[in-house]
Amino acid sequence: MADLVFAFDAALDRPIPLPEAAPAPVADAIARAPFEALEAAASTARQTRAAGLVLFGNTLDPIRSSPAQAAALRTMIMSLAADGCRTVWVADDTADCANVSRALAEPEGLSFVTPVSPLRLDMRGLSVEICSTRGPAYATTGFGHLPQSFASAHSSLLPAQRRIVIGWDDAWGSLHGEPAVSHGLHAPLPVGGRSSHGSFFVWGSRSLQATPPGMHQLSALQARSGREVSAGACAVVTLTNLPHISPTLSSVAHVSADPRADWREVPTHRVAWRTLTITSLVGDEEELATTIWSALEGMSLDAHAPLQIVRCAIDCGGSINRRVHVGELAAETMNRVRALYDPRTFRAWCHELEADQTESPATLVRNASASKAGGTASFASGLAEIVLEMETKATHPGAREAGWLALELLESS
């Protein structure tokens, strides 16, 4: 049993870019993935008998979305309400609330939270207030002065026993080529991570961040590329503990002693990006394709597993000549691998093949004569030493990739 399920950045109106030459089954799976990830979060809320599904981040833009997307989301919200689960939508301002409510035709069971309008919920005898850290209203007041909901501020009612503070960044722009939009705070927590009233902090981001102690960081429901830190998940939190029912004891909920121990993530993604590193020192496109397909089959993916968009990185053992040859074989090798794809029985699509850019150049230093006789070998060894030194100083994260590219251009010229 859970109290709340958190779902960050469903982004239903933002399609996932299709890989080049993707067949219809792969394209269909990718197109369905954002909403199926949200449906997985809703299913988690039902299975855990959660009192609420909290949506925050980019869920649905009424201007960008299609009528079909809005209708599907409305149906999901009403279905959750019929099961006793409220949908809580965290928005930036009241105008966003009005636009979303109008686009969804005001479905039953939908509530809103804004930075100036928290929401009070009563869950199994526990009063919980959900607050937002977004926007200038929060940035100017700070953590110690979050606005209270009417229920918490009213003199005739007790204050909330738990306060859940939700925030998120706009890493979407930097990860997906769109302009980043700044909202509120970059550092979501004060030193120490928790305020004096014992708030529970949730921070959503598509990029990995260093967060203070006490912060629960959540990735998006569905990643949009391999550059994201997680394939996708929702989070389940339990703030109450229900004792076993007996003839002499009531089953009234009490506050969990340490809510940080009652947070767990549940995978929701339907598409995942992964890199498969394969060693190939010799052979033509047929041999390379056979090696890649054997590695793909070794992933043991059935027809119900999330679709894997695979990048094959070929470890060439430090051979510059082999790296150039792999580049020449890439197109025909990809065609051979893709010809074996069967969407009815397999859930992996190879979208890219290249010599491994992360391969260590240390081999060139240890055995300079292995690459090419004369000045070229000395140049390769010297460049490798420069790259390794730069990596030691951690000043140029792309030095290894740039070094290999320079050596491949020299070899192919």
Side-chain angles (χ1 to χ4, degrees), residues 190-249:
V191 176
R194 305 184 70 174
S195 61
S196 59
H197 51 263
S199 294
F200 186 89
F201 296 97
V202 181
W203 185 254
S205 179
R206 287 182 176 268
S207 63
L208 184 62
Q209 298 184 13
T211 54
M215 164 63 66
H216 297 276
Q217 187 171 171
L218 181 63
S219 61
L221 289 172
Q222 171 62 66
R224 291 307 198 273
S225 73
R227 293 186 294 272
E228 298 190 30
V229 296
S230 171
C234 66
V236 175
V237 63
T238 303
L239 302 173
T240 59
N241 289 328
L242 291 175
H244 295 292
I245 299 175
S246 70
T248 58
L249 293 177

Side-chain angles (χ1 to χ4, degrees), residues 50-82:
L53 173 64
V54 182
L55 307 178
F56 65 110
N58 301 294
T59 300
L60 183 79
D61 186 337
I63 297 177
R64 296 171 56 120
S65 63
S66 68
Q69 290 169 337
L73 181 55
R74 169 185 165 83
T75 299
M76 189 198 77
I77 292 172
M78 295 182 67
S79 176
L80 285 173

